[in-house]
Amino acid sequence: MRKSLLSAAFLSIFALGVHAQKIETRPQHSANVGLTPIKQGNWMVGGSLANIGYSFEGKAFNINLQPRAGYFVSNGIAIGAQANLGFTAVKGTDNEWNYGIAPFLRYYLPQGASSTGRFFAQGDIGIAGSSVGKDVSLALGANLGYAHFITQTVALEVTAGYNYTKSNVNLGDKASGLGVGLGFQIYLPGKK
């Protein structure tokens, strides 16, 4: 009797230990954050890792990397700067490498918000250049996106938008097109 009671106790403790390990190793897919990451005084650092687009005028396909940093000047409103580094394949001409820098303004929309995600609108205006020409051009962008928080401070983002460049490089006077992007942001708390 004593052996069977001891065996049952040992098996129960073992089963609870195995069950506890399964819960601890489960990956986190979302976090309930509310307004905490986008409060005034916080910082955001990250960027778009896969920004893919198509230009209407030049029949060009491009892919960009856009590191970004910003500061929340008010709840839900961030200003900052982003670098644009990319590659463009243009039909009928040489491929080109692109670069640029642009200040941006991002507004997190209160409508459609959930405890784990936020819609946002972002606009940027800056300068851009290319390996094909020596001219610097005006670059504009308008994007809508969604940030899904996987932890209290990290969000995965998807964006879609319109980009415009005014230049005299390879595609004539202007280039415009649509793009989609995937990326992430890290939200850092400011000083209290």
Side-chain angles (χ1 to χ4, degrees):
M1 174 78 170
R2 190 178 255 181
K3 283 185 180 182
S4 62
L5 187 58
L6 187 59
S7 297
F10 177 73
L11 285 175
S12 298
I13 291 171
F14 180 74
L16 287 173
V18 169
H19 179 68
Q21 288 178 0
K22 286 184 183 178
I23 292 173
E24 288 178 21
T25 59
R26 190 173 59 180
Q28 184 171 345
H29 299 290
S30 62
N32 185 354
V33 295
L35 290 173
T36 304
I38 60 171
K39 285 190 175 183
Q40 182 177 359
N42 288 354
W43 290 87
M44 59 185 260
V45 179
S48 297
L49 300 177
N51 194 347
I52 301 171
Y54 181 78
S55 174
F56 298 128
E57 287 82 7
K59 305 290 187 210
F61 173 80
N62 60 62
I63 185 163
N64 295 306
L65 174 68
Q66 295 175 315
R68 180 180 303 119
Y71 177 76
F72 284 91
V73 294
S74 179
N75 288 347
I77 300 175
I79 60 170
Q82 68 183 19
N84 299 313
L85 309 167
F87 173 78
T88 301
V90 183
K91 187 176 183 179
T93 62
D94 292 336
N95 295 332
E96 54 187 88
W97 294 95
N98 306 305
Y99 56 89
I101 188 160
F104 70 86
L105 174 67
R106 181 180 281 197
Y107 175 66
Y108 287 83
L109 305 167
Q111 299 84 6
S114 71
S115 61
T116 61
R118 292 267 174 193
F119 287 100
F120 62 86
Q122 179 175 313
D124 56 78
I125 181 170
I127 57 172
S130 171
S131 62
V132 175
K134 297 182 193 295
D135 291 344
V136 176
S137 61
L138 172 69
L140 304 169
N143 292 283
L144 294 174
Y146 183 76
H148 176 74
F149 289 88
I150 56 174
T151 70
Q152 293 290 322
T153 58
V154 177
L156 298 177
E157 293 182 347
V158 61
T159 59
Y162 176 78
N163 297 299
Y164 172 85
T165 303
K166 173 79 171 148
S167 67
N168 295 316
V169 180
N170 198 18
L171 302 174
D173 291 334
K174 68 179 181 118
S176 60
L178 299 175
V180 294
L182 297 172
F184 72 96
Q185 292 295 330
I186 299 171
Y187 296 83
L188 304 170
K191 291 184 178 180
K192 301 282 182 196

